[in-house]
């Protein structure tokens, strides 16, 4: 039976489950004219959840339900930013959903259930909790991608995402079963991550353990969108409604980092010498494929999809360092990418309207003349994604490269620097189109007049500059979480 202490430790998660169920009931009984209120209620729900996470922050790591759930600084940081970015996505999504007649309770409840999945995943202390959190996030995401049932492309993207996601989940579960079996060879079988970290010292089946590790890395690589497990990303990014794409780009990557840290660092820490090189190879493949294929894209959402693959390569640079400094740098990078991705897709949402998705790079021709402020916000997002100083993205890249060098992986840092230079091209091309190309005659460019969207988007993009100039406190928070 759960104790009062267990319930208090999971209070933010229990609160969100209750709130999501309440939103479903409100959506069912509200009159059509009242349903826009769901938007503001949903944002309030997320803001209260952020307060509960911060207010209930323990002084040290605590566990609940027999160690299945862990609440520590790492989990709290990821939860705060996952909830915060989702609240921003709600603000950005409202005009888009209204224009396409998609504004309804299912969008908000599915998003909140996906966030609950993230929160469970990053607090997992047991392989069962890892899988439960992952599936809650994944199933909600599949449904969100297919939100626009009248359009062909979202349904196609959702089917691809579902099939490949099911395959990756199966491989992850198969790997977990191998690890569980190996833990019972010479000792008591266990699914607890804290106990699995010592399996290599006593198991009589090390080969089985290593095979399980490889299958679990495949599942992690899929959720990160790292090459060669990236096949779903371009189609899902392009096919999904843009608010959903924004969530997949930001929220799911925070979750994937949390999952990788829990499984590899907490659970497979003694096998670091084996998974370190595997992650380094995935990082190189992601940097190469992501940056080179992004160059030839004409669709901005597909370009940002391949950009995501390259950014996951940089995140893997930090993880492959296999130490507290590398983990802190990777967490810092995941937060940075979430804010940059939300800002870039936020501009696309601000320029979209009914019948015009504004997702081709050519659609941004002459934006600086028609909407100079929106062009400036996109410029900040593109420069930060490219890693141009003094913006936020520059410091994130520097820190993961530094972590790789300190882990005696200079060759990997050099690869990262080379592809950072390659990646400049496609980001600068977007800026060139906005500032130097003439707008098309009778062009469809028109900025949404939604004031909350414009205000939050401006703060989001300007934060990339502010955090680039004053990134120390956030880095200190990330490092403190790992005891650096």
């Amino acid at each position: 039976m759960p104790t009062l202490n267990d319930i208090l430790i999971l209070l933010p998660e229990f609160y969100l489950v209750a709130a999501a169920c309440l939103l479903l009931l409100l959506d069912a009984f509200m009159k059509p004219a009242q349903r826009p209120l769901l938007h503001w209620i949903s944002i309030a729900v997320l803001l209260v959840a952020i307060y509960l996470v911060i207010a209930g922050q323990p002084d040290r790591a605590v566990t609940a339900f027999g160690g299945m759930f862990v609440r520590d600084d790492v989990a709290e940081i990821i939860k705060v930013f996952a909830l915060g970015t989702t609240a921003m996505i709600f603000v950005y999504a409202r005009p888009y959903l209204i224009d396409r007649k998609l504004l309804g309770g299912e969008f908000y409840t599915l998003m909140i259930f996906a966030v609950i999945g993230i929160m469970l995943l990053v607090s997992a202390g047991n392989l069962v909790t890892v899988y439960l959190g992952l599936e809650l996030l994944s199933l909600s995401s599949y449904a969100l991608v297919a939100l626009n049932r009248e359009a062909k492309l979202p349904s196609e993207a959702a089917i691809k995402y579902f099939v490949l996601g099911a395959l990756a989940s199966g491989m992850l579960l198969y790997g977990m079963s191998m690890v569980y079996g190996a833990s019972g060879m010479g000792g008591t079988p266990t699914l607890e991550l804290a106990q699995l970290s010592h399996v290599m010292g006593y198991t009589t089946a090390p080969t089985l353990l290593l095979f399980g590790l490889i299958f679990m890395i495949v599942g992690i690589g899929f959720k990160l969108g790292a090459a060669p497990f990236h096949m779903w990303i371009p189609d899902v990014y392009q096919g999904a409604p843009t608010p959903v794409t924004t969530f997949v780009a930001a929220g799911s990557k925070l979750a994937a980092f949390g999952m990788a840290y829990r499984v590899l660092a907490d659970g497979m820490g003694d096998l670091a010498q084996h998974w370190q090189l595997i992650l380094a190879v995935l990082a190189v493949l992601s940097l190469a494929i992501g940056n080179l294929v992004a160059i030839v894209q004409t669709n901005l959402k597909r370009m940002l999809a391949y950009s995501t693959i390259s950014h996951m390569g940089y995140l893997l640079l930090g993880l492959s360092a296999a130490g507290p400094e590398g983990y802190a740098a990777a967490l810092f990078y995941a937060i940075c990418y979430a804010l940059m991705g939300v800002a870039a897709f936020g501009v696309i949402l601000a320029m979209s309207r009914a019948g015009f998705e504004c997702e081709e790079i050519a659609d941004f021709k002459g934006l600086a003349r028609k909407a100079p402020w929106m062009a400036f916000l996109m410029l900040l997002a593109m420069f930060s994604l490219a890693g141009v100083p003094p913006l936020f993205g520059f410091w994130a890249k520097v820190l993961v490269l530094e972590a790789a060098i300190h882990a005696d992986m200079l060759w990997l840092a050099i690869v990262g620097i080379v592809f950072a230079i390659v990646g400049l091209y496609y980001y600068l091309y977007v800026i060139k189109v906005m500032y130097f190309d003439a707008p098309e005659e009778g062009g469809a460019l028109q900025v949404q007049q939604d004031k909350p969207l414009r205000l939050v988007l401006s703060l989001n993009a300007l934060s990339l500059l502010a955090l680039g100039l004053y990134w120390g406190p956030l880095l200190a928070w990330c490092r403190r979480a790992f005891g650096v």
Side-chain angles (χ1 to χ4, degrees), residues 272-360:
Q273 71 273 22
H274 298 285
W275 55 255
Q276 194 174 17
L277 185 59
I278 297 173
L279 294 190
V281 171
L282 294 183
V284 172
L285 289 173
S286 301
L287 290 167
I289 293 173
N291 282 300
L292 294 176
V293 181
I295 290 172
V296 299
Q297 302 302 312
T298 57
N299 182 284
L300 185 56
K301 286 170 74 174
R302 287 187 79 88
M303 187 273 276
L304 289 171
Y306 283 103
S307 160
T308 296
I309 297 165
S310 73
H311 282 285
M312 292 307 101
Y314 287 107
L315 191 146
L316 287 168
L317 254 68
L319 284 172
S320 62
E325 182 189 359
Y327 301 145
L331 175 56
F332 187 85
Y333 200 99
I335 292 167
C336 175
Y337 177 74
L339 293 175
M340 295 187 299
V342 170
F345 283 107
V347 175
I348 296 175
L349 286 166
M351 304 303 299
S352 302
R353 63 178 189 280
F356 178 62
E357 294 295 327
C358 195
E359 60 180 44
E360 297 294 327

Side-chain angles (χ1 to χ4, degrees), residues 40 91-92 94-95 98 447-455:
W40 302 109
V91 175
Y92 299 164
R94 183 169 174 267
I98 290 173
V447 183
Q448 289 282 357
Q449 297 305 307
D450 188 83
K451 288 183 180 178
L453 183 154
R454 293 166 67 95
L455 174 62

Side-chain angles (χ1 to χ4, degrees), residues 201-222:
Y202 66 77
T203 183
T204 58
T207 305
L208 182 66
L209 183 65
L210 292 174
F211 266 106
L213 172 66
I214 290 168
F215 275 101
M216 289 197 295
I217 289 175
V218 170
I220 292 168
F222 178 87

